[in-house]
Amino acid sequence: MLALTRKAGERIVINDNIVVTVVSIKGDNIRLTIEAPKEIKIYRGEIFDAIAAENKQAAVANNLTELDRLKALHIKK
């Protein structure tokens, strides 16, 4: 991890194609702009965490009783 101190108007360049600029600082709030290629996904931390939790939930098999109910609906020939 790299920790940097930046002032308003200063920027950080990542991998030659991502630029993070400090636009303003007001109290505890910092406004940033991020310039990156469109194929790079950028999420706020809380949104990323929610997506990861949903993906994890979807990957886990649901309650077996639900699967059993579906099996019971199977029509035998």
Side-chain angles (χ1 to χ4, degrees):
M1 177 190 297
L2 173 65
L4 298 172
T5 301
R6 301 276 77 201
K7 296 178 182 176
E10 295 183 330
R11 59 195 180 113
I12 299 165
V13 180
I14 303 169
N15 199 34
D16 296 330
N17 62 350
I18 301 171
V19 179
V20 179
T21 304
V22 178
V23 177
S24 64
I25 303 168
K26 293 180 183 176
D28 290 341
N29 295 313
I30 300 171
R31 183 172 293 246
L32 303 172
T33 61
I34 303 169
E35 297 174 46
K38 289 184 179 185
E39 63 270 10
I40 295 179
K41 296 177 182 178
I42 302 171
Y43 299 105
R44 294 182 315 193
E46 63 275 14
I47 300 298
F48 181 82
D49 293 342
I51 291 169
E54 285 182 25
N55 288 342
K56 186 176 180 181
Q57 176 92 18
V60 174
N62 285 334
N63 190 340
L64 289 178
T65 58
E66 291 179 24
L67 293 175
D68 292 336
R69 278 188 249 147
L70 287 174
K71 287 179 187 177
L73 293 176
H74 181 70
I75 301 171
K76 295 182 182 179
K77 293 183 181 179

